[in-house]
Amino acid sequence: IRSSGRSSVGQGAWIGAPIVIDGQVFAIISLVALQSADFTTRHVERLEQFASHASLALDNAHLYQQMKRRLDEQSMLNQAAQSISSALDLQNLLLLISQTFSRFFESDDLAVVLCDSEAEIVGETLQVTNGQFQRMRSPRLDVGLVECIIQNRRGLVFRERAELLNCARTFQVTI
């Protein structure tokens, strides 16, 4: 932990106690008495009790924010599901999905690679980029990723560009 280099204590007294959340020190609460004060262990115990209450309040606020975010996400997904179920035309459906996913996942593009998992055949790619819809032949990288998803029956994620580039090298594709 780095210090700002400034001390709150001049000629007076100082006491402090940790605010602990999930076993980690989240903050330190401290008191400074510039006048000559005699802080005792009882003061420290009270400050520790207060810090304990503060940690519960902060933890509850954090849990509330998480729950609120999840409810907002669920509400957005429900709205999207209603919109999607009312769309009848494939292009409009993909545009709707793209708009919803770009808000929900903060993404820029949406691609749907059509496939027949039983026959393990990859068809065309339907892509929405910047609100523009296009159909195209599936690039080899998409085919490789789809094959991997079909075989494993699980989603894939690339957290870093290096992971995606490594995968592209595997399928001998330039990105």
Side-chain angles (χ1 to χ4, degrees):
I1 297 176
R2 292 189 182 142
S3 168
S4 66
R6 295 186 343 221
S7 172
S8 310
V9 182
Q11 301 287 328
W14 181 94
I15 60 172
I19 296 176
V20 179
I21 298 176
D22 293 329
Q24 301 290 322
V25 175
F26 174 77
I28 304 291
I29 186 163
S30 64
L31 299 172
V32 174
L34 298 178
Q35 303 290 323
S36 178
D38 189 19
F39 287 132
T40 65
T41 56
R42 183 177 165 130
H43 290 108
V44 173
E45 288 170 1
R46 285 186 177 167
L47 188 60
E48 286 174 336
Q49 288 174 346
F50 178 79
S52 176
H53 290 289
S55 70
L56 288 173
L58 288 167
D59 196 31
N60 285 340
H62 177 72
L63 291 172
Y64 173 78
Q65 289 299 320
Q66 280 182 326
M67 183 175 24
K68 185 176 180 331
R69 187 178 65 243
R70 286 184 184 143
L71 287 172
D72 290 346
E73 289 173 355
Q74 189 63 45
S75 174
M76 189 185 325
L77 287 174
N78 287 339
Q79 289 173 356
Q82 288 174 352
S83 297
I84 289 167
S85 65
S86 66
L88 300 176
D89 150 294
L90 181 61
Q91 184 172 338
N92 286 335
L93 176 63
L94 288 176
L95 288 170
L96 247 164
I97 292 171
S98 175
Q99 291 167 354
T100 301
F101 280 11
S102 67
R103 282 192 316 250
F104 188 74
F105 291 104
E106 298 177 11
S107 63
D108 298 314
D109 298 340
L110 170 80
V112 176
V113 180
L114 302 177
C115 59
D116 180 345
S117 60
E118 288 181 19
E120 295 185 2
I121 298 171
V122 177
E124 67 183 338
T125 295
L126 309 173
Q127 187 166 343
V128 178
T129 304
N130 297 325
Q132 300 298 314
F133 176 84
Q134 62 182 358
R135 289 175 178 251
M136 63 173 83
R137 187 171 165 270
S138 294
R140 285 197 339 230
L141 179 61
D142 283 353
V143 172
L145 295 175
V146 169
E147 287 172 354
C148 187
I149 291 171
I150 289 171
Q151 289 171 4
N152 294 316
R153 303 272 192 245
R154 298 192 64 196
L156 284 176
V157 65
F158 297 104
R159 290 181 181 83
E160 297 179 8
R161 182 154 175 80
E163 291 177 302
L164 180 58
L165 292 173
N166 189 32
C167 183
R169 271 187 237 106
T170 302
F171 294 104
Q172 300 173 347
V173 176
T174 304
I175 295 181

